[in-house]
Amino acid sequence: MNKLLAITVLIVVLALEAESFRMPRQAEEEKGTIASVVDTLKFYYDMSVDTASGYVETIKDYKLEEKAKNLYDETVSAVSTYAGIFNDQIYHIFYSQDSS
């Protein structure tokens, strides 16, 4: 019986000691108006940057740069051909040899 009483007292003392070592909860610091506005702006900025990055990645997947370059090259080729033909026609209009 003495051992049971000693063990019970020891457990109670240890439980009280353990409770006294608990860390008190720290109350969350309330944010001021400026801090909450800055946090909101930062959130929307990050969200817009992420959205824009997603759009850029989608555009890169479409390979629009390559298609635009090919279109430009084909257009330059066609225009230079027709410009050469037009140049020859103008030249022959002004410098044609009269066969008479």
Side-chain angles (χ1 to χ4, degrees):
M1 178 91 163
N2 268 343
K3 288 184 180 181
L4 185 60
L5 182 61
I7 291 174
T8 305
V9 169
L10 184 62
I11 290 174
V12 169
V13 169
L14 287 176
L16 290 175
E17 289 289 323
E19 188 176 80
S20 68
F21 281 105
R22 284 188 185 168
M23 295 292 289
R25 289 186 183 173
Q26 294 179 350
E28 291 185 24
E29 296 177 17
E30 293 199 20
K31 295 182 179 179
T33 305
I34 295 175
S36 64
V37 168
V38 168
D39 287 345
T40 303
L41 290 175
K42 185 176 179 183
F43 170 75
Y44 284 119
Y45 173 77
D46 291 340
M47 189 171 66
S48 63
V49 167
D50 292 341
T51 303
S53 297
Y55 289 153
V56 168
E57 291 300 320
T58 302
I59 289 171
K60 284 183 180 178
D61 289 342
Y62 292 147
K63 297 181 181 178
L64 292 178
E65 290 179 23
E66 183 179 330
K67 291 178 183 177
K69 184 180 180 305
N70 290 340
L71 179 65
Y72 173 77
D73 291 340
E74 292 171 3
T75 303
V76 166
S77 175
V79 167
S80 64
T81 301
Y82 288 113
I85 293 170
F86 181 72
N87 189 20
D88 287 344
Q89 294 295 320
I90 296 296
Y91 178 80
H92 287 293
I93 288 173
F94 287 118
Y95 298 109
S96 63
Q97 294 178 349
D98 291 324
S99 49
S100 47

